[in-house]
């Protein structure tokens, strides 16, 4: 029974993401047809772009299993890996993105006026655009202070890989 409950929570989480679109059915259709939906940021959530070299510094390695574990433990929220563009996108609460991006220029926050390619729920890698950490429940987002901690870890190589 727990598997069905988790599945329903996951479906509800993706329904919540789809409602970032003016027409949530459009996002659902894009996921069904293309496996990727283009969602506007700044309505339900923002995203922090984490370039792979920065993430690898923080993790102390480029090993995808270690990076995934770091995201799950440190960020405790959904993260997309865009492997062709060599970057990760942490989904975060709507936050004033300009001050963040000035403080953390190496990891800019994308908000209103930006769009994010969001993979379908079943895209879990390891190639193309996929979920490194899938959303689990409605409103599941990474905590902004946790994303800041990851950037600080990358800035200070002595702390890299420390969790």
């Amino acid at each position: 029974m727990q598997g069905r409950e988790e599945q329903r929570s996951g479906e509800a989480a993706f329904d919540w993401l789809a409602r970032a679109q003016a027409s949530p059915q459009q996002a659902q259709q894009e996921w069904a047809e293309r496996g990727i939906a283009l969602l506007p940021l700044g309505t339900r959530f923002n995203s922090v772009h984490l370039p792979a070299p920065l993430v690898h510094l923080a993790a102390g390695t480029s090993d995808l299993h270690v990076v995934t574990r770091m995201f799950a433990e440190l960020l405790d929220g959904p993260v997309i890996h865009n492997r062709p563009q060599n970057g990760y996108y942490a989904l975060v609460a709507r936050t004033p993105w300009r001050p963040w991006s000035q403080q953390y220029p190496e990891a800019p926050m994308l908000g209103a006026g930006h769009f994010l390619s969001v993979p379908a729920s079943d895209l879990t890698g390891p190639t193309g655009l996929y979920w490194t950490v899938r959303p689990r429940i409605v409103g599941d987002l990474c905590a902004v202070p946790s994303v800041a901690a990851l950037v600080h870890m990358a800035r200070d190589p002595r702390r890299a890989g420390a969790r």
Side-chain angles (χ1 to χ4, degrees), residues 48-53 55 71 79-90 128-130 132:
V48 175
H49 174 232
L50 300 164
V55 169
F71 283 142
V79 179
I80 296 168
H81 187 188
N82 188 327
R83 198 161 185 166
Q85 292 183 359
N86 203 27
Y88 297 86
Y89 293 85
L129 182 76
Y130 66 92
T132 301

Side-chain angles (χ1 to χ4, degrees), residues 13-162:
F14 279 85
D15 288 342
W16 182 82
L17 289 173
R19 288 195 307 271
Q21 286 270 20
S23 170
Q25 297 81 7
Q26 179 182 345
Q28 297 289 356
Q29 184 176 352
E30 289 175 13
W31 281 323
E33 293 176 359
R34 296 183 205 91
I36 296 170
L38 190 62
L39 300 182
L41 297 172
T43 56
R44 290 197 169 261
F45 56 90
N46 286 355
S47 179
V48 175
H49 174 232
L50 300 164
L54 179 132
V55 169
H56 299 161
L57 274 174
T61 182
S62 61
D63 181 279
L64 291 177
H65 296 290
V66 174
V67 168
T68 298
R69 191 169 57 247
M70 177 189 68
F71 283 142
E73 292 172 5
L74 180 63
L75 301 187
D76 191 33
V79 179
I80 296 168
H81 187 188
N82 188 327
R83 198 161 185 166
Q85 292 183 359
N86 203 27
Y88 297 86
Y89 293 85
L91 276 54
V92 297
R94 291 181 312 156
T95 306
W97 55 273
R98 283 192 174 102
W100 166 278
S101 294
Q102 290 170 350
Q103 187 173 359
Y104 302 103
E106 67 270 55
M109 183 179 291
L110 308 172
H114 293 93
F115 289 82
L116 182 67
S117 293
V118 176
S121 64
D122 62 340
L123 293 180
T124 56
T127 60
L129 182 76
Y130 66 92
W131 290 102
T132 301
V133 179
R134 287 173 26 114
R136 302 158 293 196
I137 58 172
V138 170
D140 190 17
L141 297 170
C142 300
V144 172
S146 298
V147 179
L150 184 144
V151 175
H152 285 285
M153 287 170 56
R155 286 179 174 175
D156 183 358
R158 294 171 295 169
R159 293 176 54 196

